[in-house]
mmCIF file of all heavy atoms in Angstrom:
data_model
loop_
_atom_site.group_PDB
_atom_site.id
_atom_site.type_symbol
_atom_site.label_atom_id
_atom_site.label_comp_id
_atom_site.label_asym_id
_atom_site.label_seq_id
_atom_site.Cartn_x
_atom_site.Cartn_y
_atom_site.Cartn_z
ATOM 1 N N LYS A 14 0.825 -1.206 0.000
ATOM 2 C CA LYS A 14 0.006 0.002 0.000
ATOM 3 C C LYS A 14 0.870 1.247 0.007
ATOM 4 O O LYS A 14 2.013 1.241 0.420
ATOM 5 C CB LYS A 14 -0.941 -0.011 1.199
ATOM 6 C CG LYS A 14 -1.964 -1.148 1.111
ATOM 7 C CD LYS A 14 -2.967 -1.098 2.254
ATOM 8 C CE LYS A 14 -3.987 -2.241 2.116
ATOM 9 N NZ LYS A 14 -4.984 -2.233 3.214
ATOM 10 N N HIS A 15 0.265 2.338 -0.480
ATOM 11 C CA HIS A 15 0.997 3.589 -0.669
ATOM 12 C C HIS A 15 0.376 4.679 0.194
ATOM 13 O O HIS A 15 -0.680 5.178 -0.115
ATOM 14 C CB HIS A 15 0.958 3.987 -2.162
ATOM 15 C CG HIS A 15 1.579 5.288 -2.465
ATOM 16 N ND1 HIS A 15 1.315 6.002 -3.620
ATOM 17 C CD2 HIS A 15 2.497 6.030 -1.786
ATOM 18 C CE1 HIS A 15 2.013 7.109 -3.629
ATOM 19 N NE2 HIS A 15 2.741 7.160 -2.519
ATOM 20 N N HIS A 16 1.067 4.998 1.288
ATOM 21 C CA HIS A 16 0.669 6.118 2.136
ATOM 22 C C HIS A 16 1.786 7.150 2.219
ATOM 23 O O HIS A 16 1.531 8.354 2.215
ATOM 24 C CB HIS A 16 0.354 5.645 3.564
ATOM 25 C CG HIS A 16 -0.544 4.443 3.618
ATOM 26 N ND1 HIS A 16 -1.823 4.456 3.134
ATOM 27 C CD2 HIS A 16 -0.326 3.185 4.091
ATOM 28 C CE1 HIS A 16 -2.377 3.267 3.314
ATOM 29 N NE2 HIS A 16 -1.468 2.473 3.883
ATOM 30 N N PHE A 17 3.011 6.648 2.298
ATOM 31 C CA PHE A 17 4.192 7.505 2.516
ATOM 32 C C PHE A 17 4.806 7.945 1.206
ATOM 33 O O PHE A 17 4.634 7.291 0.170
ATOM 34 C CB PHE A 17 5.244 6.767 3.333
ATOM 35 C CG PHE A 17 4.810 6.415 4.730
ATOM 36 C CD1 PHE A 17 4.768 5.081 5.130
ATOM 37 C CD2 PHE A 17 4.438 7.396 5.645
ATOM 38 C CE1 PHE A 17 4.370 4.727 6.419
ATOM 39 C CE2 PHE A 17 4.041 7.051 6.920
ATOM 40 C CZ PHE A 17 4.008 5.743 7.307
ATOM 41 N N ASN A 18 5.565 9.034 1.280
ATOM 42 C CA ASN A 18 6.246 9.554 0.117
ATOM 43 C C ASN A 18 7.552 10.234 0.522
ATOM 44 O O ASN A 18 7.726 10.672 1.655
ATOM 45 C CB ASN A 18 5.377 10.614 -0.589
ATOM 46 C CG ASN A 18 4.025 10.088 -1.007
ATOM 47 O OD1 ASN A 18 3.870 9.535 -2.083
ATOM 48 N ND2 ASN A 18 3.031 10.243 -0.131
ATOM 49 N N GLU A 19 8.432 10.325 -0.465
ATOM 50 C CA GLU A 19 9.592 11.200 -0.360
ATOM 51 C C GLU A 19 9.314 12.399 -1.257
ATOM 52 O O GLU A 19 8.847 12.242 -2.398
ATOM 53 C CB GLU A 19 10.867 10.489 -0.796
ATOM 54 C CG GLU A 19 12.130 11.323 -0.600
ATOM 55 C CD GLU A 19 13.392 10.562 -0.939
ATOM 56 O OE1 GLU A 19 13.306 9.536 -1.641
ATOM 57 O OE2 GLU A 19 14.471 10.977 -0.488
ATOM 58 N N VAL A 20 9.573 13.592 -0.775
ATOM 59 C CA VAL A 20 9.344 14.815 -1.529
ATOM 60 C C VAL A 20 10.688 15.487 -1.768
ATOM 61 O O VAL A 20 11.388 15.846 -0.822
ATOM 62 C CB VAL A 20 8.395 15.777 -0.775
ATOM 63 C CG1 VAL A 20 8.140 17.021 -1.611
ATOM 64 C CG2 VAL A 20 7.062 15.076 -0.457
ATOM 65 N N ILE A 21 11.041 15.639 -3.053
ATOM 66 C CA ILE A 21 12.330 16.203 -3.455
ATOM 67 C C ILE A 21 12.118 17.629 -3.972
ATOM 68 O O ILE A 21 11.241 17.865 -4.815
ATOM 69 C CB ILE A 21 12.998 15.347 -4.547
ATOM 70 C CG1 ILE A 21 13.009 13.866 -4.163
ATOM 71 C CG2 ILE A 21 14.404 15.862 -4.831
ATOM 72 C CD1 ILE A 21 13.832 13.537 -2.971
ATOM 73 N N PHE A 22 12.927 18.565 -3.491
ATOM 74 C CA PHE A 22 12.886 19.941 -3.986
ATOM 75 C C PHE A 22 14.115 20.225 -4.817
ATOM 76 O O PHE A 22 15.251 19.993 -4.391
ATOM 77 C CB PHE A 22 12.860 20.951 -2.817
ATOM 78 C CG PHE A 22 11.755 20.734 -1.837
ATOM 79 C CD1 PHE A 22 12.029 20.298 -0.555
ATOM 80 C CD2 PHE A 22 10.437 20.985 -2.191
ATOM 81 C CE1 PHE A 22 11.008 20.109 0.351
ATOM 82 C CE2 PHE A 22 9.411 20.793 -1.281
ATOM 83 C CZ PHE A 22 9.687 20.344 0.004
ATOM 84 N N ASP A 23 13.891 20.741 -6.008
ATOM 85 C CA ASP A 23 14.992 21.160 -6.870
ATOM 86 C C ASP A 23 14.757 22.607 -7.255
ATOM 87 O O ASP A 23 14.121 22.916 -8.256
ATOM 88 C CB ASP A 23 15.050 20.264 -8.110
ATOM 89 C CG ASP A 23 16.207 20.628 -9.033
ATOM 90 O OD1 ASP A 23 17.070 21.432 -8.636
ATOM 91 O OD2 ASP A 23 16.232 20.120 -10.180
ATOM 92 N N GLU A 24 15.245 23.517 -6.385
ATOM 93 C CA GLU A 24 15.056 24.951 -6.618
ATOM 94 C C GLU A 24 13.568 25.316 -6.718
ATOM 95 O O GLU A 24 13.173 26.187 -7.497
ATOM 96 C CB GLU A 24 15.800 25.411 -7.876
ATOM 97 C CG GLU A 24 17.307 25.247 -7.793
ATOM 98 C CD GLU A 24 17.947 26.280 -6.865
ATOM 99 O OE1 GLU A 24 17.624 27.475 -6.966
ATOM 100 O OE2 GLU A 24 18.788 25.870 -6.026
ATOM 101 N N ALA A 25 12.727 24.645 -5.949
ATOM 102 C CA ALA A 25 11.291 24.907 -5.984
ATOM 103 C C ALA A 25 11.026 26.303 -5.438
ATOM 104 O O ALA A 25 11.525 26.672 -4.355
ATOM 105 C CB ALA A 25 10.539 23.860 -5.168
ATOM 106 N N PHE A 26 10.222 27.068 -6.140
ATOM 107 C CA PHE A 26 9.969 28.455 -5.736
ATOM 108 C C PHE A 26 8.766 28.566 -4.825
ATOM 109 O O PHE A 26 7.698 27.978 -5.087
ATOM 110 C CB PHE A 26 9.720 29.315 -6.990
ATOM 111 C CG PHE A 26 9.473 30.780 -6.668
ATOM 112 C CD1 PHE A 26 10.530 31.600 -6.300
ATOM 113 C CD2 PHE A 26 8.195 31.308 -6.748
ATOM 114 C CE1 PHE A 26 10.330 32.936 -6.018
ATOM 115 C CE2 PHE A 26 7.969 32.656 -6.470
ATOM 116 C CZ PHE A 26 9.043 33.469 -6.103
ATOM 117 N N VAL A 27 8.930 29.295 -3.718
ATOM 118 C CA VAL A 27 7.837 29.603 -2.792
ATOM 119 C C VAL A 27 7.737 31.121 -2.694
ATOM 120 O O VAL A 27 8.702 31.791 -2.298
ATOM 121 C CB VAL A 27 8.106 29.001 -1.402
ATOM 122 C CG1 VAL A 27 6.969 29.355 -0.454
ATOM 123 C CG2 VAL A 27 8.280 27.494 -1.477
ATOM 124 N N PRO A 28 6.611 31.702 -3.041
ATOM 125 C CA PRO A 28 6.481 33.157 -3.007
ATOM 126 C C PRO A 28 6.510 33.699 -1.580
ATOM 127 O O PRO A 28 6.218 32.963 -0.617
ATOM 128 C CB PRO A 28 5.126 33.435 -3.663
ATOM 129 C CG PRO A 28 4.367 32.160 -3.533
ATOM 130 C CD PRO A 28 5.385 31.067 -3.578
ATOM 131 N N ASP A 29 6.864 34.957 -1.434
ATOM 132 C CA ASP A 29 6.979 35.572 -0.109
ATOM 133 C C ASP A 29 5.716 35.450 0.713
ATOM 134 O O ASP A 29 5.766 35.335 1.940
ATOM 135 C CB ASP A 29 7.385 37.049 -0.233
ATOM 136 C CG ASP A 29 8.867 37.235 -0.513
ATOM 137 O OD1 ASP A 29 9.662 36.409 -0.017
ATOM 138 O OD2 ASP A 29 9.224 38.195 -1.220
ATOM 139 N N ASP A 30 4.540 35.490 0.050
ATOM 140 C CA ASP A 30 3.299 35.442 0.827
ATOM 141 C C ASP A 30 2.989 34.036 1.362
ATOM 142 O O ASP A 30 2.012 33.863 2.077
ATOM 143 C CB ASP A 30 2.109 35.999 0.035
ATOM 144 C CG ASP A 30 1.782 35.193 -1.217
ATOM 145 O OD1 ASP A 30 2.464 34.177 -1.493
ATOM 146 O OD2 ASP A 30 0.862 35.595 -1.942
ATOM 147 N N MET A 31 3.859 33.062 1.017
ATOM 148 C CA MET A 31 3.698 31.708 1.569
ATOM 149 C C MET A 31 4.785 31.387 2.600
ATOM 150 O O MET A 31 4.922 30.226 3.023
ATOM 151 C CB MET A 31 3.700 30.672 0.465
ATOM 152 C CG MET A 31 2.424 30.694 -0.380
ATOM 153 S SD MET A 31 0.902 30.327 0.564
ATOM 154 C CE MET A 31 0.051 31.896 0.509
ATOM 155 N N VAL A 32 5.570 32.406 3.027
ATOM 156 C CA VAL A 32 6.413 32.236 4.208
ATOM 157 C C VAL A 32 5.482 32.047 5.400
ATOM 158 O O VAL A 32 4.529 32.834 5.592
ATOM 159 C CB VAL A 32 7.329 33.442 4.433
ATOM 160 C CG1 VAL A 32 8.032 33.342 5.801
ATOM 161 C CG2 VAL A 32 8.360 33.538 3.314
ATOM 162 N N PHE A 33 5.704 31.005 6.189
ATOM 163 C CA PHE A 33 4.802 30.725 7.290
ATOM 164 C C PHE A 33 5.404 31.197 8.601
ATOM 165 O O PHE A 33 6.481 30.718 8.999
ATOM 166 C CB PHE A 33 4.507 29.235 7.354
ATOM 167 C CG PHE A 33 3.427 28.864 8.325
ATOM 168 C CD1 PHE A 33 2.137 29.321 8.133
ATOM 169 C CD2 PHE A 33 3.700 28.083 9.443
ATOM 170 C CE1 PHE A 33 1.122 28.993 9.029
ATOM 171 C CE2 PHE A 33 2.704 27.765 10.345
ATOM 172 C CZ PHE A 33 1.411 28.229 10.150
ATOM 173 N N GLY A 34 4.752 32.141 9.235
ATOM 174 C CA GLY A 34 5.297 32.709 10.468
ATOM 175 C C GLY A 34 6.447 33.649 10.163
ATOM 176 O O GLY A 34 6.433 34.373 9.170
ATOM 177 N N THR A 35 7.486 33.593 10.991
ATOM 178 C CA THR A 35 8.609 34.529 10.887
ATOM 179 C C THR A 35 9.876 33.762 10.503
ATOM 180 O O THR A 35 10.160 32.700 11.033
ATOM 181 C CB THR A 35 8.845 35.229 12.250
ATOM 182 O OG1 THR A 35 7.652 35.905 12.620
ATOM 183 C CG2 THR A 35 9.982 36.238 12.168
ATOM 184 N N ILE A 36 10.612 34.322 9.543
ATOM 185 C CA ILE A 36 11.890 33.720 9.148
ATOM 186 C C ILE A 36 12.797 33.628 10.395
ATOM 187 O O ILE A 36 12.990 34.601 11.090
ATOM 188 C CB ILE A 36 12.568 34.541 8.031
ATOM 189 C CG1 ILE A 36 11.752 34.454 6.747
ATOM 190 C CG2 ILE A 36 14.008 34.072 7.807
ATOM 191 C CD1 ILE A 36 11.685 33.081 6.128
ATOM 192 N N GLY A 37 13.343 32.436 10.609
ATOM 193 C CA GLY A 37 14.229 32.211 11.737
ATOM 194 C C GLY A 37 13.556 31.663 12.971
ATOM 195 O O GLY A 37 14.228 31.225 13.905
ATOM 196 N N ASP A 38 12.205 31.676 12.990
ATOM 197 C CA ASP A 38 11.459 31.196 14.165
ATOM 198 C C ASP A 38 10.868 29.792 13.937
ATOM 199 O O ASP A 38 9.960 29.369 14.664
ATOM 200 C CB ASP A 38 10.318 32.156 14.505
ATOM 201 C CG ASP A 38 10.802 33.424 15.192
ATOM 202 O OD1 ASP A 38 12.003 33.505 15.492
ATOM 203 O OD2 ASP A 38 9.986 34.334 15.388
ATOM 204 N N GLY A 39 11.392 29.077 12.947
ATOM 205 C CA GLY A 39 10.805 27.783 12.604
ATOM 206 C C GLY A 39 10.787 26.791 13.741
ATOM 207 O O GLY A 39 9.811 26.048 13.917
#
């Protein structure tokens, strides 16, 4: 069965309005 995944990022772009919370407070 398939529930889990590996997610690979290759220079994936995230716009500034999708920063979650405050940079550095992760």
